[in-house]
């Protein structure tokens, strides 16, 4: 019964994400068939803001009526991420200097939604609202807000600084590759994957060394590391590029060392041998030291 409920939550998240994504219909209904230039102008107009507010209200009310309690909490988060993704798409195709911020909105919202969806697919027993990673940590929230502030300030004061096309494209490639690597790692690990470092070995827990795990010991962290830096390259945020690189590197260094203590305890010599053969995947991070 619990398993079927968790599967249900995954399905609800899909429906809700698509409902939020439906925001892209608003500008299309206003001027169907017109040139793409009008989209951004419309959304910054009073009518556009009213239409978006009305859409959010209607969808939220609809979700509140259909889903109750925990299911509503899943639905409203997925709907919000779908809405953010839809707004990102609109900005991405608009004739505006905020195009690259649209790319960023799509990248950020899809990352958080896909974390929940993939967890629902591979390890439904560990699925919770925390699987969205929206409340990952205070530091994570501060970092995200800092990047928005830096982009906005620099966009208003030095707009040409945000139009380094080749740098934005490099960032986009890093985001796509990092996202793909992380999700490949989650799918490969299957039920062995968990967002929380496990300090007790489950009966079904096995050491995964195939697929992307044959390339890197911690492919999910490698993907997240380069994804996070890529988002800031995409925004041409020089301060946050440096800040994200340092903060992410330090976080994953500590995380890997903590995790490998338990992995050695779980799998003993098998993990030690695997550790000798396969690189962590992150620069200047070798993991926990093991005495010979």
């Amino acid at each position: 019964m619990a398993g079927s409920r968790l599967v249900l939550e995954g399905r609800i998240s899909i429906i809700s994400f698509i409902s939020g994504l439906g925001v892209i219909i608003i500008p299309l209904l206003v001027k169907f068939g017109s040139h793409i230039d009008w989209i951004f102008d419309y959304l910054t107009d009073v009518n556009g803001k009213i239409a978006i507010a009305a859409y959010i209200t209607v969808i939220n009310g609809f979700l509140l009526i259909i889903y109750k309690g925990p299911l509503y909490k899943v639905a409203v988060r997925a709907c919000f991420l779908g809405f953010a993704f839809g707004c990102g798409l609109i900005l991405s195709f608009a004739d505006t200097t905020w195009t690259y911020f649209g790319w960023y909105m799509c990248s950020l919202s899809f990352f958080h939604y896909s974390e929940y969806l993939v967890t629902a697919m591979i390890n439904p027993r560990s699925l919770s609202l925390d699987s969205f990673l929206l409340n990952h940590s205070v530091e994570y929230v501060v970092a995200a807000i800092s990047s928005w502030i830096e982009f906005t300030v620099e966009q208003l004061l030095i707009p040409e600084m945000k139009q380094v096309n080749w740098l934005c494209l490099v960032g986009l490639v890093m985001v796509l590759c990092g996202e793909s690597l992380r999700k490949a790692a989650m799918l490969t690990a299957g039920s062995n994957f968990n967002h929380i470092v496990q300090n007790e070995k489950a009966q079904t827990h096995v050491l995964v060394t195939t697929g992307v795990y044959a390339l890197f010991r911690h492919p999910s962290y490698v993907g997240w590391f380069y994804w996070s830096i890529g988002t800031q390259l995409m925004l041409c945020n020089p301060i946050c590029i440096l800040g994200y690189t340092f903060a992410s590197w330090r976080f994953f260094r500590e995380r890997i060392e903590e995790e490998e203590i338990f992995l050695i305890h779980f799998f003993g010599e098998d993990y030690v041998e695997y550790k000798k053969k396969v690189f962590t995947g992150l620069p200047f991070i070798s993991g926990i030291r093991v005495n010979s």
Side-chain angles (χ1 to χ4, degrees):
M1 182 69 179
S4 63
R5 181 175 178 79
L6 293 174
V7 172
L8 174 62
E9 290 174 345
R11 294 176 180 175
I12 288 174
S13 75
I14 295 175
I15 296 172
S16 301
F17 184 85
I18 295 174
S19 297
L21 180 60
V23 70
I24 61 176
I25 296 175
I26 294 175
L28 295 178
L29 289 176
V30 175
K31 201 169 182 179
F32 181 78
S34 296
H35 190 270
I36 202 71
D37 289 347
W38 61 266
I39 293 181
F40 184 73
D41 292 334
Y42 175 76
L43 284 179
T44 55
D45 185 73
V46 174
N47 291 333
K49 294 177 180 178
I50 293 175
I52 290 176
Y55 179 84
I56 295 174
T57 302
V58 171
I59 291 298
N60 187 57
F62 178 73
L63 295 176
L64 187 59
I65 293 173
I66 294 182
Y67 305 120
K68 304 295 182 182
L71 294 181
Y72 171 73
K73 293 179 180 179
V74 171
V76 76
R77 284 164 175 76
C79 182
F80 167 74
L81 292 171
F83 174 78
F85 189 88
C87 290
L89 282 178
I90 293 172
L91 284 177
S92 297
F93 290 98
D95 183 16
T96 170
T97 55
W98 289 76
T99 296
Y100 297 129
F101 195 81
W103 292 9
Y104 168 81
M105 289 179 65
C106 290
S107 303
L108 185 65
S109 55
F110 182 80
F111 172 81
H112 285 285
Y113 173 68
S114 61
E115 288 290 307
Y116 185 89
L117 181 62
V118 174
T119 301
M121 294 167 56
I122 63 172
N123 194 6
R125 290 188 177 279
S126 70
L127 190 67
S128 70
L129 290 177
D130 291 339
S131 299
F132 283 109
L133 296 185
L134 291 171
N135 58 339
H136 180 271
S137 65
V138 174
E139 292 81 3
Y140 184 82
V141 174
V142 170
I145 295 176
S146 297
S147 72
W148 307 340
I149 293 174
E150 180 182 353
F151 181 87
T152 302
V153 171
E154 292 171 352
Q155 169 72 11
L156 295 175
L157 298 180
I158 321 172
E160 62 275 10
M161 182 180 178
K162 297 301 179 183
Q163 300 304 310
V164 185
N165 296 334
W166 68 267
L167 185 60
C168 296
L169 288 173
V170 169
L172 178 61
V173 170
M174 287 180 64
V175 164
L176 294 175
C177 291
E179 175 75 23
S180 299
L181 178 59
R182 179 167 173 82
K183 295 309 181 289
M186 294 174 69
L187 291 170
T188 302
S191 61
N192 298 286
F193 183 89
N194 200 300
H195 284 117
I196 301 174
V197 174
Q198 301 297 290
N199 55 19
E200 293 184 6
K201 182 183 178 183
Q203 292 183 345
T204 57
H205 196 175
V206 298
L207 178 60
V208 181
T209 60
T210 58
V212 290
Y213 285 87
L215 302 175
F216 310 117
R217 289 207 310 274
H218 300 278
S220 66
Y221 295 158
V222 176
W224 196 350
F225 176 75
Y226 287 107
W227 174 88
S228 66
I229 298 173
T231 61
Q232 299 313 299
L233 287 173
M234 201 158 54
L235 293 177
C236 296
N237 280 351
I239 298 175
C240 281
I241 289 173
L242 296 176
Y244 271 53
T245 301
F246 174 75
S248 297
W249 183 87
R250 186 177 64 176
F251 171 78
F252 288 121
R253 182 192 62 182
E254 296 174 353
R255 176 92 170 199
I256 286 174
E257 290 179 352
E258 176 190 3
E259 186 171 312
E260 290 195 336
I261 292 175
F262 294 113
L263 290 172
I264 292 173
H265 176 68
F266 294 164
F267 303 109
E269 194 62 28
D270 288 341
Y271 189 81
V272 174
E273 287 301 313
Y274 172 61
K275 185 179 186 300
K276 291 178 181 178
K277 297 177 182 177
V278 182
F279 174 52
T280 61
L282 292 169
F284 308 109
I285 297 179
S286 57
I288 193 72
R289 292 187 178 183
V290 180
N291 295 326
S292 302

CSV table of all heavy atoms in Angstrom, one decimal, residues 215-258:
chain,number,residue,atom,x,y,z
A,215,LEU,N,33.6,5.0,-14.3
A,215,LEU,CA,34.4,6.2,-14.7
A,215,LEU,C,34.7,7.0,-13.5
A,215,LEU,O,35.9,7.5,-13.4
A,215,LEU,CB,33.6,7.0,-15.7
A,215,LEU,CG,33.1,6.3,-17.0
A,215,LEU,CD1,32.2,7.3,-17.8
A,215,LEU,CD2,34.3,5.9,-17.8
A,216,PHE,N,33.8,7.2,-12.6
A,216,PHE,CA,34.0,8.0,-11.4
A,216,PHE,C,33.4,7.3,-10.2
A,216,PHE,O,32.4,6.7,-10.3
A,216,PHE,CB,33.3,9.4,-11.6
A,216,PHE,CG,33.6,10.1,-12.8
A,216,PHE,CD1,32.6,10.4,-13.7
A,216,PHE,CD2,34.9,10.5,-13.1
A,216,PHE,CE1,32.9,11.1,-14.9
A,216,PHE,CE2,35.2,11.2,-14.3
A,216,PHE,CZ,34.2,11.5,-15.2
A,217,ARG,N,34.0,7.5,-9.0
A,217,ARG,CA,33.5,6.9,-7.8
A,217,ARG,C,32.2,7.6,-7.4
A,217,ARG,O,31.3,7.0,-6.8
A,217,ARG,CB,34.5,6.9,-6.7
A,217,ARG,CG,35.7,6.0,-6.8
A,217,ARG,CD,36.3,5.6,-5.5
A,217,ARG,NE,36.6,6.6,-4.6
A,217,ARG,CZ,37.7,7.3,-4.6
A,217,ARG,NH1,38.7,7.1,-5.5
A,217,ARG,NH2,37.9,8.3,-3.7
A,218,HIS,N,32.1,8.9,-7.6
A,218,HIS,CA,31.0,9.7,-7.2
A,218,HIS,C,30.4,10.5,-8.4
A,218,HIS,O,30.5,11.7,-8.3
A,218,HIS,CB,31.4,10.6,-6.0
A,218,HIS,CG,32.0,9.8,-4.8
A,218,HIS,ND1,31.1,9.3,-3.9
A,218,HIS,CD2,33.2,9.6,-4.5
A,218,HIS,CE1,31.9,8.7,-3.0
A,218,HIS,NE2,33.2,8.9,-3.3
A,219,PRO,N,29.9,9.8,-9.4
A,219,PRO,CA,29.4,10.5,-10.6
A,219,PRO,C,28.3,11.5,-10.3
A,219,PRO,O,28.2,12.5,-11.0
A,219,PRO,CB,29.0,9.4,-11.5
A,219,PRO,CG,28.7,8.2,-10.6
A,219,PRO,CD,29.7,8.3,-9.5
A,220,SER,N,27.4,11.2,-9.3
A,220,SER,CA,26.3,12.1,-9.0
A,220,SER,C,26.9,13.4,-8.5
A,220,SER,O,26.3,14.5,-8.8
A,220,SER,CB,25.3,11.5,-8.0
A,220,SER,OG,25.9,11.3,-6.7
A,221,TYR,N,27.9,13.4,-7.7
A,221,TYR,CA,28.5,14.6,-7.2
A,221,TYR,C,29.3,15.4,-8.3
A,221,TYR,O,29.3,16.6,-8.3
A,221,TYR,CB,29.5,14.3,-6.0
A,221,TYR,CG,28.9,13.7,-4.8
A,221,TYR,CD1,29.6,12.9,-3.9
A,221,TYR,CD2,27.5,13.9,-4.5
A,221,TYR,CE1,29.0,12.4,-2.8
A,221,TYR,CE2,26.9,13.3,-3.4
A,221,TYR,CZ,27.6,12.6,-2.5
A,221,TYR,OH,27.0,12.0,-1.4
A,222,VAL,N,30.0,14.6,-9.1
A,222,VAL,CA,30.7,15.2,-10.3
A,222,VAL,C,29.7,16.0,-11.1
A,222,VAL,O,29.9,17.1,-11.5
A,222,VAL,CB,31.4,14.1,-11.1
A,222,VAL,CG1,32.0,14.8,-12.3
A,222,VAL,CG2,32.4,13.4,-10.3
A,223,GLY,N,28.5,15.4,-11.4
A,223,GLY,CA,27.5,16.0,-12.3
A,223,GLY,C,27.0,17.3,-11.6
A,223,GLY,O,26.8,18.3,-12.3
A,224,TRP,N,26.7,17.2,-10.3
A,224,TRP,CA,26.2,18.3,-9.6
A,224,TRP,C,27.2,19.4,-9.5
A,224,TRP,O,26.9,20.6,-9.6
A,224,TRP,CB,25.7,17.9,-8.2
A,224,TRP,CG,24.8,18.9,-7.5
A,224,TRP,CD1,24.5,20.2,-7.9
A,224,TRP,CD2,24.1,18.7,-6.3
A,224,TRP,NE1,23.7,20.8,-7.0
A,224,TRP,CE2,23.4,19.9,-6.0
A,224,TRP,CE3,24.0,17.7,-5.4
A,224,TRP,CZ2,22.6,20.1,-4.9
A,224,TRP,CZ3,23.2,17.8,-4.3
A,224,TRP,CH2,22.5,19.0,-4.0
A,225,PHE,N,28.5,19.1,-9.3
A,225,PHE,CA,29.5,20.1,-9.2
A,225,PHE,C,29.6,20.9,-10.5
A,225,PHE,O,29.6,22.2,-10.4
A,225,PHE,CB,30.9,19.4,-8.9
A,225,PHE,CG,32.1,20.3,-8.9
A,225,PHE,CD1,32.3,21.1,-7.8
A,225,PHE,CD2,33.0,20.3,-10.0
A,225,PHE,CE1,33.4,21.9,-7.8
A,225,PHE,CE2,34.1,21.1,-9.9
A,225,PHE,CZ,34.3,21.9,-8.8
A,226,TYR,N,29.7,20.3,-11.6
A,226,TYR,CA,29.9,21.0,-12.9
A,226,TYR,C,28.6,21.6,-13.3
A,226,TYR,O,28.6,22.7,-14.0
A,226,TYR,CB,30.4,20.1,-14.0
A,226,TYR,CG,31.9,19.7,-13.7
A,226,TYR,CD1,32.3,18.5,-13.3
A,226,TYR,CD2,32.9,20.7,-13.9
A,226,TYR,CE1,33.6,18.2,-13.0
A,226,TYR,CE2,34.2,20.4,-13.7
A,226,TYR,CZ,34.6,19.2,-13.3
A,226,TYR,OH,35.9,18.9,-13.0
A,227,TRP,N,27.4,21.1,-12.9
A,227,TRP,CA,26.2,21.7,-13.2
A,227,TRP,C,26.1,23.1,-12.5
A,227,TRP,O,25.7,24.1,-13.1
A,227,TRP,CB,25.0,20.8,-12.7
A,227,TRP,CG,23.6,21.4,-12.8
A,227,TRP,CD1,22.8,21.4,-13.9
A,227,TRP,CD2,23.0,22.2,-11.8
A,227,TRP,NE1,21.6,22.1,-13.6
A,227,TRP,CE2,21.7,22.6,-12.3
A,227,TRP,CE3,23.3,22.5,-10.5
A,227,TRP,CZ2,20.8,23.3,-11.6
A,227,TRP,CZ3,22.4,23.3,-9.8
A,227,TRP,CH2,21.2,23.7,-10.3
A,228,SER,N,26.5,23.1,-11.2
A,228,SER,CA,26.4,24.3,-10.4
A,228,SER,C,27.3,25.4,-11.0
A,228,SER,O,26.8,26.6,-11.1
A,228,SER,CB,26.7,24.0,-9.0
A,228,SER,OG,28.1,23.7,-8.8
A,229,ILE,N,28.5,25.1,-11.4
A,229,ILE,CA,29.4,26.0,-12.0
A,229,ILE,C,28.8,26.5,-13.3
A,229,ILE,O,28.9,27.7,-13.7
A,229,ILE,CB,30.8,25.5,-12.1
A,229,ILE,CG1,31.4,25.1,-10.7
A,229,ILE,CG2,31.7,26.5,-12.8
A,229,ILE,CD1,32.7,24.4,-10.8
A,230,GLY,N,28.3,25.6,-14.1
A,230,GLY,CA,27.8,25.9,-15.4
A,230,GLY,C,26.6,26.9,-15.3
A,230,GLY,O,26.5,27.8,-16.2
A,231,THR,N,25.8,26.8,-14.3
A,231,THR,CA,24.7,27.8,-14.2
A,231,THR,C,25.2,29.2,-14.1
A,231,THR,O,24.6,30.2,-14.6
A,231,THR,CB,23.8,27.5,-12.9
A,231,THR,OG1,24.6,27.6,-11.7
A,231,THR,CG2,23.2,26.1,-13.1
A,232,GLN,N,26.4,29.4,-13.4
A,232,GLN,CA,26.9,30.7,-13.2
A,232,GLN,C,27.7,31.2,-14.4
A,232,GLN,O,27.7,32.4,-14.7
A,232,GLN,CB,27.8,30.8,-12.0
A,232,GLN,CG,27.1,30.4,-10.7
A,232,GLN,CD,25.8,31.2,-10.6
A,232,GLN,OE1,25.7,32.4,-10.5
A,232,GLN,NE2,24.6,30.5,-10.5
A,233,LEU,N,28.3,30.3,-15.2
A,233,LEU,CA,28.9,30.6,-16.4
A,233,LEU,C,27.8,31.1,-17.4
A,233,LEU,O,28.0,32.0,-18.2
A,233,LEU,CB,29.7,29.4,-17.0
A,233,LEU,CG,31.0,29.0,-16.3
A,233,LEU,CD1,31.5,27.7,-16.9
A,233,LEU,CD2,32.0,30.1,-16.5
A,234,MET,N,26.7,30.4,-17.4
A,234,MET,CA,25.6,30.8,-18.2
A,234,MET,C,25.0,32.2,-18.0
A,234,MET,O,24.6,32.9,-18.9
A,234,MET,CB,24.4,29.7,-18.0
A,234,MET,CG,23.4,29.6,-19.1
A,234,MET,SD,22.6,28.0,-19.1
A,234,MET,CE,22.0,27.9,-17.4
A,235,LEU,N,25.1,32.6,-16.7
A,235,LEU,CA,24.6,33.9,-16.3
A,235,LEU,C,25.7,34.9,-16.4
A,235,LEU,O,25.5,36.1,-16.1
A,235,LEU,CB,24.1,33.8,-14.8
A,235,LEU,CG,22.9,33.0,-14.6
A,235,LEU,CD1,22.5,33.0,-13.1
A,235,LEU,CD2,21.7,33.6,-15.4
A,236,CYS,N,27.0,34.5,-16.7
A,236,CYS,CA,28.1,35.4,-16.7
A,236,CYS,C,28.3,36.2,-15.4
A,236,CYS,O,28.4,37.4,-15.4
A,236,CYS,CB,28.0,36.5,-17.9
A,236,CYS,SG,28.0,35.7,-19.5
A,237,ASN,N,28.2,35.4,-14.3
A,237,ASN,CA,28.3,36.0,-13.0
A,237,ASN,C,29.8,35.7,-12.5
A,237,ASN,O,30.0,34.7,-11.9
A,237,ASN,CB,27.3,35.3,-12.0
A,237,ASN,CG,25.9,35.8,-12.1
A,237,ASN,OD1,25.7,36.8,-12.7
A,237,ASN,ND2,25.0,35.2,-11.5
A,238,PRO,N,30.7,36.7,-12.7
A,238,PRO,CA,32.1,36.4,-12.3
A,238,PRO,C,32.3,36.1,-10.8
A,238,PRO,O,33.1,35.3,-10.4
A,238,PRO,CB,32.8,37.7,-12.7
A,238,PRO,CG,31.7,38.7,-12.8
A,238,PRO,CD,30.5,38.0,-13.2
A,239,ILE,N,31.6,36.9,-9.9
A,239,ILE,CA,31.7,36.7,-8.5
A,239,ILE,C,31.2,35.3,-8.1
A,239,ILE,O,31.9,34.5,-7.4
A,239,ILE,CB,31.0,37.8,-7.7
A,239,ILE,CG1,31.6,39.1,-8.0
A,239,ILE,CG2,31.1,37.5,-6.2
A,239,ILE,CD1,30.8,40.3,-7.4
A,240,CYS,N,30.0,34.9,-8.6
A,240,CYS,CA,29.4,33.6,-8.2
A,240,CYS,C,30.1,32.5,-8.9
A,240,CYS,O,30.1,31.4,-8.3
A,240,CYS,CB,27.9,33.6,-8.5
A,240,CYS,SG,26.9,34.5,-7.3
A,241,ILE,N,30.8,32.7,-10.0
A,241,ILE,CA,31.5,31.6,-10.6
A,241,ILE,C,32.6,31.2,-9.7
A,241,ILE,O,32.8,30.0,-9.4
A,241,ILE,CB,32.2,32.0,-12.0
A,241,ILE,CG1,31.1,32.2,-13.0
A,241,ILE,CG2,33.2,31.0,-12.4
A,241,ILE,CD1,31.6,32.8,-14.3
A,242,LEU,N,33.4,32.1,-9.1
A,242,LEU,CA,34.4,31.8,-8.1
A,242,LEU,C,33.8,31.3,-6.9
A,242,LEU,O,34.3,30.3,-6.3
A,242,LEU,CB,35.2,33.1,-7.9
A,242,LEU,CG,36.0,33.7,-9.0
A,242,LEU,CD1,36.7,35.0,-8.6
A,242,LEU,CD2,37.1,32.7,-9.5
A,243,GLY,N,32.8,31.9,-6.4
A,243,GLY,CA,32.1,31.5,-5.1
A,243,GLY,C,31.6,30.1,-5.2
A,243,GLY,O,31.8,29.3,-4.3
A,244,TYR,N,30.8,29.8,-6.3
A,244,TYR,CA,30.2,28.5,-6.5
A,244,TYR,C,31.3,27.4,-6.6
A,244,TYR,O,31.2,26.3,-6.1
A,244,TYR,CB,29.4,28.4,-7.7
A,244,TYR,CG,27.9,28.9,-7.5
A,244,TYR,CD1,27.6,30.1,-6.8
A,244,TYR,CD2,26.9,28.1,-7.9
A,244,TYR,CE1,26.3,30.4,-6.6
A,244,TYR,CE2,25.5,28.4,-7.7
A,244,TYR,CZ,25.3,29.6,-7.0
A,244,TYR,OH,24.0,30.0,-6.8
A,245,THR,N,32.4,27.7,-7.3
A,245,THR,CA,33.5,26.7,-7.5
A,245,THR,C,34.1,26.3,-6.2
A,245,THR,O,34.2,25.2,-5.9
A,245,THR,CB,34.5,27.3,-8.4
A,245,THR,OG1,34.0,27.6,-9.7
A,245,THR,CG2,35.7,26.3,-8.6
A,246,PHE,N,34.4,27.3,-5.4
A,246,PHE,CA,35.0,27.1,-4.1
A,246,PHE,C,34.1,26.4,-3.1
A,246,PHE,O,34.4,25.4,-2.5
A,246,PHE,CB,35.5,28.4,-3.5
A,246,PHE,CG,36.1,28.2,-2.1
A,246,PHE,CD1,37.3,27.6,-1.8
A,246,PHE,CD2,35.3,28.6,-1.0
A,246,PHE,CE1,37.8,27.4,-0.6
A,246,PHE,CE2,35.8,28.4,0.3
A,246,PHE,CZ,37.1,27.8,0.5
A,247,ALA,N,32.9,26.9,-3.0
A,247,ALA,CA,31.9,26.4,-2.1
A,247,ALA,C,31.5,24.9,-2.4
A,247,ALA,O,31.4,24.1,-1.5
A,247,ALA,CB,30.6,27.3,-2.0
A,248,SER,N,31.3,24.7,-3.7
A,248,SER,CA,30.9,23.3,-4.2
A,248,SER,C,32.0,22.4,-3.9
A,248,SER,O,31.8,21.2,-3.5
A,248,SER,CB,30.5,23.3,-5.6
A,248,SER,OG,29.4,24.1,-5.9
A,249,TRP,N,33.2,22.8,-4.2
A,249,TRP,CA,34.4,21.9,-4.1
A,249,TRP,C,34.6,21.5,-2.6
A,249,TRP,O,34.8,20.4,-2.3
A,249,TRP,CB,35.7,22.6,-4.6
A,249,TRP,CG,36.9,21.7,-4.5
A,249,TRP,CD1,37.3,20.8,-5.4
A,249,TRP,CD2,37.8,21.7,-3.4
A,249,TRP,NE1,38.5,20.2,-5.0
A,249,TRP,CE2,38.8,20.7,-3.7
A,249,TRP,CE3,37.9,22.4,-2.2
A,249,TRP,CZ2,39.9,20.4,-2.9
A,249,TRP,CZ3,39.0,22.1,-1.3
A,249,TRP,CH2,39.9,21.1,-1.7
A,250,ARG,N,34.5,22.5,-1.7
A,250,ARG,CA,34.6,22.2,-0.3
A,250,ARG,C,33.5,21.3,0.2
A,250,ARG,O,33.7,20.4,1.0
A,250,ARG,CB,34.6,23.5,0.5
A,250,ARG,CG,34.9,23.4,2.0
A,250,ARG,CD,35.0,24.7,2.7
A,250,ARG,NE,33.7,25.4,2.7
A,250,ARG,CZ,33.5,26.5,3.3
A,250,ARG,NH1,34.5,27.1,4.0
A,250,ARG,NH2,32.3,27.1,3.3
A,251,PHE,N,32.3,21.6,-0.2
A,251,PHE,CA,31.1,20.8,0.2
A,251,PHE,C,31.3,19.3,-0.2
A,251,PHE,O,31.1,18.4,0.6
A,251,PHE,CB,29.8,21.3,-0.4
A,251,PHE,CG,28.6,20.4,-0.2
A,251,PHE,CD1,28.0,20.4,1.1
A,251,PHE,CD2,28.2,19.6,-1.2
A,251,PHE,CE1,26.9,19.5,1.3
A,251,PHE,CE2,27.1,18.8,-1.0
A,251,PHE,CZ,26.5,18.7,0.2
A,252,PHE,N,31.7,19.1,-1.5
A,252,PHE,CA,31.8,17.7,-1.9
A,252,PHE,C,33.0,17.0,-1.4
A,252,PHE,O,33.0,15.8,-1.2
A,252,PHE,CB,31.8,17.7,-3.5
A,252,PHE,CG,30.4,18.0,-4.1
A,252,PHE,CD1,30.2,19.0,-4.9
A,252,PHE,CD2,29.3,17.2,-3.7
A,252,PHE,CE1,29.0,19.3,-5.5
A,252,PHE,CE2,28.1,17.4,-4.2
A,252,PHE,CZ,27.9,18.5,-5.1
A,253,ARG,N,34.1,17.7,-1.1
A,253,ARG,CA,35.2,17.1,-0.4
A,253,ARG,C,34.8,16.6,0.9
A,253,ARG,O,35.2,15.4,1.2
A,253,ARG,CB,36.4,18.2,-0.3
A,253,ARG,CG,37.6,17.6,0.4
A,253,ARG,CD,38.6,18.7,0.8
A,253,ARG,NE,38.0,19.5,1.8
A,253,ARG,CZ,38.6,20.6,2.4
A,253,ARG,NH1,39.8,20.9,2.0
A,253,ARG,NH2,38.0,21.3,3.3
A,254,GLU,N,34.1,17.4,1.7
A,254,GLU,CA,33.7,16.9,3.1
A,254,GLU,C,32.7,15.8,2.9
A,254,GLU,O,32.7,14.8,3.7
A,254,GLU,CB,33.1,18.1,3.8
A,254,GLU,CG,34.2,19.2,4.1
A,254,GLU,CD,33.5,20.4,4.8
A,254,GLU,OE1,32.3,20.5,4.9
A,254,GLU,OE2,34.3,21.3,5.2
A,255,ARG,N,31.8,15.9,2.0
A,255,ARG,CA,30.7,14.9,1.8
A,255,ARG,C,31.3,13.6,1.4
A,255,ARG,O,30.9,12.5,1.9
A,255,ARG,CB,29.7,15.4,0.7
A,255,ARG,CG,28.6,14.5,0.3
A,255,ARG,CD,27.4,14.7,1.1
A,255,ARG,NE,26.3,13.9,0.6
A,255,ARG,CZ,25.0,14.2,0.9
A,255,ARG,NH1,24.7,15.2,1.7
A,255,ARG,NH2,24.1,13.4,0.4
A,256,ILE,N,32.2,13.6,0.4
A,256,ILE,CA,32.9,12.4,0.0
A,256,ILE,C,33.6,11.7,1.1
A,256,ILE,O,33.5,10.4,1.2
A,256,ILE,CB,33.8,12.6,-1.2
A,256,ILE,CG1,32.9,12.9,-2.5
A,256,ILE,CG2,34.7,11.5,-1.5
A,256,ILE,CD1,33.7,13.4,-3.7
A,257,GLU,N,34.4,12.4,1.8
A,257,GLU,CA,35.1,11.8,3.0
A,257,GLU,C,34.2,11.2,4.0
A,257,GLU,O,34.5,10.1,4.5
A,257,GLU,CB,36.0,12.9,3.6
A,257,GLU,CG,37.2,13.3,2.7
A,257,GLU,CD,38.0,14.4,3.4
A,257,GLU,OE1,37.6,14.9,4.5
A,257,GLU,OE2,39.1,14.7,2.8
A,258,GLU,N,33.1,11.9,4.3
A,258,GLU,CA,32.1,11.3,5.2
A,258,GLU,C,31.5,10.1,4.7
A,258,GLU,O,31.4,9.0,5.4
A,258,GLU,CB,31.0,12.4,5.5
A,258,GLU,CG,29.9,11.9,6.4
A,258,GLU,CD,28.7,12.8,6.5
A,258,GLU,OE1,28.8,13.9,5.8
A,258,GLU,OE2,27.8,12.5,7.2
